[in-house]
Amino acid sequence: MGKGCITATKYFLFLFNFIFFIFGATIMGFGLWILLDNQSLIAVLQESSVILKVVSYILIGVGSFSMLLGFLGCLGAIYEIRCLLGLYFTCLLLILLAQVAVSILIYFQRDLLKTEADKIVSQVVANYPGQNKTAEQAWDYLQRTMQCCGWNGRMDWDENHIIKNNTVPLYPCSCHNYSIQAPIVPDNGFCQASSSDWPIYQTGCLEHVGSWLFTNYGIILGICLGVAVIELLGMILSMGLCKSVHQEDYTKVPKY
């Protein structure tokens, strides 16, 4: 490989590692968002699920490791350090294999994950309002912004202990459908209904979440493929540069 090709490979590898560093920072930020957010469905699940908390810590760890790996890759590329390039290639290969394994696991365990989400949300709805204030505020926010009611539908609220045991017809205020009735209602808690026919949204939040995923699946898939391509290119460039550095060092060895 000529000197110009080595230089181009070196700077391209630096660019890919910089992108990888940004990617790691994004993953770490997403993990922190899952851990600290209290205004979305993630907060509802995270408050009641140890699994999601563990996932958030894993994402923070993977993101931090990816940032470190990107930094080491940049150093190895600029200063042509073979041991760093080899370490970078090995770690990148392990990360790629881990991503494939996790994707396969999520695909085959999707029914279990859905069941877990159903159970968690059902508990939040049945015990509302209880002691889990963060999850309840997040659930109110989700129903209000996504214009839905319950996880599978309004029938989920029939299991709520306050609605079942109250002689006055009540409904969750965050489900209020302003296209049916336009009075100002609170953002949370229960509102009194004039009859058993609640002025609420009839669609469950699961359908809205599924619709959002279906609408944006192309973007999600594109991001995943883009990350995989960047990783593969980084592996190819690191091995090419490592081999070139080795050959260059070999030619500098004096022959007797």
Side-chain angles (χ1 to χ4, degrees):
M1 188 183 291
K3 193 73 175 178
C5 290
I6 293 177
T7 303
T9 301
K10 180 169 66 174
Y11 286 107
F12 268 116
L13 185 58
F14 177 84
L15 175 63
F16 282 123
N17 276 284
F18 180 73
I19 295 174
F20 199 69
F21 180 86
I22 299 298
F23 168 67
T26 304
I27 292 179
M28 187 175 69
F30 183 64
L32 290 171
W33 173 67
I34 292 177
L35 195 63
L36 302 176
D37 177 63
N38 62 355
Q39 289 291 317
S40 69
L41 175 62
I42 294 294
V44 177
L45 300 177
Q46 189 257 128
E47 281 289 317
S48 304
S49 176
V50 177
I51 296 175
L52 199 58
K53 288 183 179 179
V54 172
V55 168
S56 66
Y57 288 122
I58 291 174
L59 288 175
I60 293 171
V62 169
S64 303
F65 179 72
S66 298
M67 292 175 66
L68 177 62
L69 189 60
F71 177 72
L72 293 177
C74 288
L75 285 180
I78 293 299
Y79 295 105
E80 300 180 5
I81 304 173
R82 287 185 59 209
C83 62
L84 285 182
L85 291 172
L87 177 63
Y88 172 76
F89 175 86
T90 303
C91 292
L92 206 56
L93 178 61
L94 292 175
I95 289 176
L96 186 60
L97 293 175
Q99 288 173 345
V100 173
V102 169
S103 300
I104 294 173
L105 183 63
I106 291 175
Y107 178 78
F108 285 105
Q109 296 294 324
R110 61 188 185 280
D111 293 334
L112 179 62
L113 294 174
K114 181 181 179 299
T115 302
E116 174 79 4
D118 288 345
K119 184 175 71 172
I120 293 169
V121 174
S122 297
Q123 290 175 351
V124 172
V125 171
N127 297 322
Y128 182 101
Q131 301 300 318
N132 201 345
K133 300 298 182 183
T134 301
E136 290 167 5
Q137 291 172 4
W139 184 241
D140 284 327
Y141 177 81
L142 180 72
Q143 291 188 136
R144 191 168 59 252
T145 55
M146 297 195 75
Q147 298 184 347
C148 55
C149 193
W151 185 239
N152 296 294
R154 61 155 286 176
M155 73 287 300
D156 291 345
W157 283 99
D158 293 336
E159 299 301 318
N160 180 267
H161 64 284
I162 292 180
I163 292 178
K164 286 199 308 184
N165 298 325
N166 206 301
T167 56
V168 177
L170 299 175
Y171 68 93
C173 298
S174 56
C175 286
H176 186 84
N177 188 343
Y178 289 95
S179 64
I180 299 177
Q181 288 184 8
I184 298 175
V185 299
D187 290 338
N188 50 44
F190 292 106
C191 296
Q192 184 174 342
S194 56
S195 66
S196 58
D197 187 17
W198 299 348
I200 61 172
Y201 301 108
Q202 299 298 319
T203 308
C205 294
L206 175 61
E207 183 175 333
H208 283 269
V209 172
S211 177
W212 181 88
L213 290 174
F214 180 78
T215 303
N216 296 279
Y217 81 96
I219 297 174
I220 297 171
L221 182 61
I223 292 173
C224 294
L225 289 176
V227 169
V229 168
I230 289 173
E231 290 172 347
L232 287 172
L233 286 174
M235 291 167 62
I236 293 170
L237 290 174
S238 64
M239 279 297 94
L241 183 58
C242 187
K243 184 178 179 181
S244 298
V245 171
H246 175 70
Q247 290 176 346
E248 195 174 72
D249 292 341
Y250 181 77
T251 56
K252 291 179 182 178
V253 175
K255 296 181 174 57
Y256 298 100

